[in-house]
Amino acid sequence: MADAPLAAVLAIDGGNSKTDVALIAPDGTVLAAERGPGANHEQYGVEQAMRILDGLVRSAAAQAGGRSGILASHTSACLAGADLPEEEAQLTAALRLRHWSRTAIAVNDTFAVLRVGLSAWESPGDGDEAGAGAGAGRWPGGADRPWGVAVTCGAGINCVAVTPDGRTARYLAHGTLTGDWGAGEGLGEQVMWHAMRAEDGRGPATALAPAVAAHFGLPSVTDVAIALHKGQLGADDLLRLTSVLFAAAAAGDQVARELVERQAAEICVMAVAAMRRLDLPPAGTLVALGGGLLEARDTLLISAVTDRLAADAPGAVPLVVDIPPIAGAALLGLDYLGAGAAEARRLRQCYRTVGLLTAAGAVTGPVSFPSAAEIRKQARKTGTATRTSRY
């Protein structure tokens, strides 16, 4: 039997807790999609990370018709942990050695969020919030290449800015060590800190204390802390305290509201500082907002981010992304191959409708993406370690 046709792009969005892989046709159609455990080189080492990716890539290839050998013209990989230029170069070299495609490029995963946000400028007719602000060309202001700012706030926080002439500003994003604050990991710890101090009298009263205990079905915050200490609760459980935080803030709890507002301030200061480092005028600059905390679209958080950006970066255009970062990796791959707006729009539509569109426009079935919790459950069965992504 003949091999399936060569895909245009092999797209990879790799984090710590999960990895998404997709094969994209030349016209932007999603041919296959696969999700698996994290493959961060910082955790596993480059070679083991590549082996994990290889299993996912081959599974996607089987979905797309079982092609052997080279699968795509280009591999576009947006990877957590690719924080330094030498790390991007090392990972790019490792990808090329796998011979999945004729060419390959690895970049930090925050670039995928930026590209997803910028796709709104490409597709002003498909209902995007930013479409009305599109410039005369494919990119903002009629530029011939993608540019703007992206902030990712999920389990961790990161930011990248790109100018129309290709200069970039970025952060190391290694947590407290490199000046970062908040996001899922940090906010979970802050919720516990305030709840514990309220319970034992060291701090002001806050609704977070009873809410934390109730969230875990335990008698007190002290019991929650002991369960965390003993390993009965883990880092993933701590991350879920952001839902407790948002609920308490929405109900008017002052401590919770201050935490949410500080998070908004951190998101904005990263974006504004990056713009200043590049002398990038804020007016007309897209600020793409991605990651689990921002994509949850909490009213207080998003309003605070919008208000602060309006004050500190007048004219900047905040936009919460509405399709997954794997689409950003795929779009970057299509850009590399010289695809146009029509191909990018088709791919965007695939992810907006959560279905696979054929060349004729028919939905052939949903993109199958198991949840992070399902991935962790499967990893425990197979003995593959996972941890929650900072992004």
Side-chain angles (χ1 to χ4, degrees):
M1 189 173 75
D3 271 348
L6 186 72
V9 177
L10 167 60
I12 301 171
D13 173 47
N16 290 314
S17 64
K18 62 178 176 60
T19 301
D20 285 331
V21 169
L23 284 167
I24 311 299
D27 69 351
T29 298
V30 180
L31 300 172
E34 184 73 16
R35 172 171 283 184
N40 190 324
H41 75 101
E42 292 179 321
Q43 181 180 0
Y44 296 108
V46 173
E47 287 307 311
Q48 178 61 15
M50 291 298 126
R51 282 193 286 270
I52 295 171
L53 287 178
D54 189 69
L56 296 173
V57 169
R58 296 304 169 187
S59 179
Q63 289 182 36
R67 182 182 177 85
S68 59
I70 292 178
L71 306 174
S73 296
H74 178 67
T75 295
S76 173
C78 297
L79 306 174
D83 298 311
L84 301 172
E86 53 263 40
E87 290 172 327
E88 290 180 331
Q90 181 186 27
L91 290 165
T92 294
L95 289 170
R96 290 173 178 170
L97 287 174
R98 306 307 298 192
H99 300 295
W100 296 324
S101 58
R102 293 168 177 160
T103 57
I105 294 177
V107 297
N108 184 270
D109 57 343
T110 309
F111 285 98
V113 174
L114 175 60
R115 187 60 185 83
V116 164
L118 286 167
S119 69
W121 253 284
E122 290 181 300
S123 307
D126 71 355
D128 289 301
E129 302 162 55
R138 185 174 169 188
W139 308 112
D144 60 359
R145 63 188 301 167
W147 64 276
V149 179
V151 180
T152 306
C153 188
I157 189 168
N158 202 354
C159 172
V160 65
V162 181
T163 64
D165 62 5
R167 291 176 295 119
T168 63
R170 54 200 294 183
Y171 299 90
L172 288 176
H174 290 162
T176 303
L177 180 69
T178 54
D180 312 317
W181 185 90
E185 289 183 355
L187 286 177
E189 292 174 353
Q190 287 289 308
V191 168
M192 282 297 300
W193 192 87
H194 285 285
M196 194 75 211
R197 290 171 70 90
E199 185 173 273
D200 64 22
R202 287 179 290 173
T206 170
L208 291 172
V212 165
H215 175 77
F216 292 110
L218 294 171
S220 67
V221 183
T222 299
D223 291 301
V224 175
I226 291 171
L228 285 164
H229 173 69
K230 290 182 175 182
Q232 296 163 344
L233 295 174
D236 289 348
D237 297 298
L238 203 59
L239 287 173
R240 296 188 186 99
L241 287 177
T242 54
S243 63
V244 174
L245 172 66
F246 288 147
D253 182 78
Q254 186 61 30
V255 171
R257 291 182 69 89
E258 288 175 359
L259 285 176
V260 173
E261 288 164 3
R262 183 179 175 187
Q263 183 64 85
E266 289 292 320
I267 290 166
C268 293
V269 78
M270 290 188 95
V272 173
M275 284 187 250
R276 288 175 179 163
R277 285 163 58 188
L278 295 173
D279 295 321
L280 186 61
T285 296
L286 177 75
V287 180
L289 304 171
L293 257 69
L294 288 164
E295 292 169 30
R297 297 176 185 265
D298 175 75
T299 301
L300 178 60
L301 178 61
I302 299 301
S303 295
V305 169
T306 301
D307 290 345
R308 283 183 176 272
L309 275 178
D312 298 340
V317 184
L319 175 68
V320 181
V321 301
D322 62 346
I323 55 177
I326 182 63
L331 288 164
L332 286 170
L334 290 173
D335 293 342
Y336 179 88
L337 295 174
E343 292 82 0
R345 186 176 297 113
R346 175 172 289 279
L347 183 138
R348 180 177 175 79
Q349 288 170 344
C350 285
Y351 283 100
R352 282 176 66 89
T353 58
V354 198
L356 302 178
L357 299 184
T358 66
V363 177
T364 61
V367 179
S368 178
F369 286 143
S371 68
E374 290 171 327
I375 293 168
R376 288 189 294 272
K377 182 178 179 181
Q378 182 62 31
R380 285 193 293 270
K381 288 182 179 178
T382 60
T384 304
T386 64
R387 63 188 289 271
T388 301
S389 171
R390 290 182 294 126
Y391 308 135

